[in-house]
């Protein structure tokens, strides 16, 4: 295992559990330092132990950053009176240190949640994640394979949508000028797209039944996803970062 691929090879079920525990823990801390330090730590771990496309990461962080900035200025300007020392005034707007601290806490919390969510999404294979849920968390095979089939259908549905739209344009349909006409015209694409999706789902169900799929729990798997020492070390690293961020955040408040 390469050093910079350890996050990619970490057991997805354990990684998901670490993400959930981290989010639930951060939700109980209202100082700005805890989520800020956790965000810095997550980015540092991701930088060292993964091969993430950082251009894609920055693009995906843009909407979260905009949301965090929205929380910041709306909380500062429209927060209820909480007391504290006045640090800035402008006309009828009064900003105290308590309001600023709460605003920064909400903003950094959004950034911290988004960073660990992106870490999970960019370092986890969806198929491997569902298989690990079945093996480690005893997820029902019916639900698990249903999720896998739905995930496999997404690119197929996208290709079908493009083909139907091109076919309509070749026949001179779908060139409306106004946006509301295009919205109402979407039913010409959605109805055949839905019909094709139902047919494909029915064929997939028949194929799974023909191969002996009953949805019963399994004792063996074709591709087992074990728990190794690397998974426990990385889990301990994340929990140590979470614990340190909480302690330091409380002490600095």
């Amino acid at each position: 295992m390469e050093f910079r691929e350890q996050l990619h090879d970490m057991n997805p079920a354990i990684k998901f559990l670490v993400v959930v525990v981290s989010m639930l823990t951060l939700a109980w801390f209202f100082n700005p330092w805890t989520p800020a330090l956790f965000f810095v730590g997550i980015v540092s771990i991701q930088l060292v132990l993964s091969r993430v496309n950082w251009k894609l990461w920055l693009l995906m962080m843009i909407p979260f950053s905009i949301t965090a900035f929205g929380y910041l200025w709306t909380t500062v300007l429209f927060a209820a009176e909480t007391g504290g020392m006045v640090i800035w005034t402008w006309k009828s707007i009064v900003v105290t240190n308590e309001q600023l601290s709460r605003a920064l806490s909400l903003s950094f919390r959004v950034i911290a949640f988004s960073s660990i969510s992106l870490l999970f999404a960019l370092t986890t294979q969806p198929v491997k994640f569902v298989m690990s849920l079945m093996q480690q968390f005893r997820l029902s095979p019916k639900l698990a394979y249903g999720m896998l089939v739905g995930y496999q259908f997404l690119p197929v549905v996208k290709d079908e949508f493009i083909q139907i739209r091109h076919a309509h344009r070749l026949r001179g349909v779908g060139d409306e000028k106004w946006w509301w006409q295009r919205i109402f015209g979407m039913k010409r694409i959605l109805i055949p797209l839905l019909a094709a999706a139902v047919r494909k789902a029915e064929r997939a169900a028949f194929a799974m039944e023909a191969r002996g799929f009953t949805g019963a729990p399994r004792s063996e798997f074709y591709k087992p996803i074990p728990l190794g020492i690397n998974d426990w070390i990385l889990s301990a690293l994340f929990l140590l970062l979470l614990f340190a961020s909480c302690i330091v955040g409380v002490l600095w408040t």
Side-chain angles (χ1 to χ4, degrees), residues 215-227:
R218 299 187 174 190
S219 58
E220 296 182 1
F221 293 89
Y222 173 73
K223 188 176 181 181
I225 303 176
L227 282 172

Side-chain angles (χ1 to χ4, degrees), residues 192-220:
L193 186 65
L194 179 61
V198 170
R199 288 195 297 268
K200 286 183 173 61
E202 188 176 13
R203 287 197 293 267
F206 286 151
M208 294 174 67
E209 186 177 0
R211 287 164 174 79
F213 179 77
T214 61
R218 299 187 174 190
S219 58
E220 296 182 1

